[in-house]
Amino acid sequence: MTQAAALPDVIREVQRVDAATVAEAARFPSSILADVAGRRGALSGRIAPLAPSMRFAGPAITVEVRPGDNLMIHAAMAVAQPGDVLVIDGKGDLSSALMGEIMSQQCIALGIVGVVIDGAVRDSEAIRELGFPMYAAGLNPNGPTKSVSGRLNHPISIGGVSVRPGDLVVGDADGVTVIERDKAAAMLPLAAEKVAAETKRIADIRSRKALRPAWLDGALRAAGVIKDGETL
């Protein structure tokens, strides 16, 4: 029995979520997309934007680095295409920054639309002024090394979520949501329905037409908080 050839550490070609799906997904908050995707895909809240105004949507270029080393991030930037998002498993290490102003400027010039790092960055004020969407687990003024190999465009785990190259990644002030590439398009009609339902709910609250959700009593009965026939 022949064994399949091992994949190279650096995979250059990626099947991406299509551009039309990305453009449509960019209309929705990350929270809406997380809800319709089964309340999964949202990264840990410790990975946050440097500024609440930062927002992006695009296909993932996945990067795995060793703590404190950013060699593979430079490799990812070399193969990324305009519209891509770098999603970097930095192992949660905050002992040194993996990116800063210079690499952010390079991302902008390359057309990379955002970066998500489970690790630290630096030059935060400059990146905020640039307006480049940078999401990170923390800040540190130390610089990284560039000498340890990692992997590019392999599945990674970041912020408690599995991410594959080409998956849809959406970020806003609340954080980052990832949806599998093959499921992304199917989530968009559901997201539109949820936005419509929430808009109506808010309107009903403001008009005082419905000041509590219609499902509340049923959920309380199911949880054993109130008995059948009882209401709050």
Side-chain angles (χ1 to χ4, degrees):
M1 181 177 179
T2 59
Q3 292 183 336
L7 291 173
D9 286 342
V10 174
I11 298 174
R12 295 172 174 82
E13 299 297 326
V14 173
Q15 188 173 357
R16 294 165 170 83
V17 61
D18 67 89
T21 298
V22 171
E24 183 71 10
R27 299 175 47 239
F28 298 109
S30 62
S31 57
I32 292 289
L33 293 171
D35 280 357
V36 300
R39 289 179 170 79
R40 60 172 62 91
L43 271 58
S44 167
R46 63 187 173 77
I47 301 173
L50 297 189
S53 60
M54 292 177 174
R55 186 180 183 94
F56 70 83
I61 295 296
T62 57
V63 190
E64 182 184 356
V65 303
R66 298 294 180 89
D69 192 283
N70 73 355
L71 177 63
M72 298 311 294
I73 302 176
H74 287 278
M77 293 166 69
V79 304
Q81 297 180 4
D84 285 343
V85 177
L86 302 186
V87 184
I88 303 158
D89 173 16
K91 312 303 181 187
D93 177 69
L94 302 181
S95 64
S96 62
L98 294 177
M99 293 184 70
E101 179 184 8
I102 292 175
M103 293 176 74
S104 296
Q105 290 274 18
Q106 187 179 354
C107 283
I108 292 171
L110 291 168
I112 294 168
V113 299
V115 172
V116 181
I117 299 180
D118 191 0
V121 299
R122 65 181 181 179
D123 306 326
S124 57
E125 289 188 20
I127 296 171
R128 290 188 190 100
E129 289 179 4
L130 287 172
F132 179 68
M134 176 70 73
Y135 290 61
L139 303 173
N140 195 302
N142 281 335
T145 60
K146 297 173 173 61
S147 57
V148 185
S149 65
R151 296 203 302 177
L152 175 58
N153 284 324
H154 286 252
I156 61 171
S157 177
I158 174 171
V161 174
S162 297
V163 186
R164 293 180 176 273
D167 282 351
L168 173 66
V169 190
V170 177
D172 56 21
D174 288 337
V176 178
T177 294
V178 179
I179 299 178
E180 297 98 317
R181 175 177 55 84
D182 293 341
K183 296 181 180 179
M187 296 299 104
L188 301 182
L190 302 178
E193 290 175 8
K194 186 165 181 62
V195 167
E198 291 193 357
T199 300
K200 181 180 184 303
R201 173 77 178 125
I202 291 169
D204 287 347
I205 291 170
R206 288 176 173 172
S207 68
R208 304 185 69 82
K209 180 179 177 181
L211 292 179
R212 64 176 182 176
W215 50 260
L216 179 58
D217 284 344
L220 290 171
R221 290 190 195 100
V225 176
I226 61 176
K227 298 178 181 179
D228 288 345
E230 284 187 312
T231 61
L232 289 184

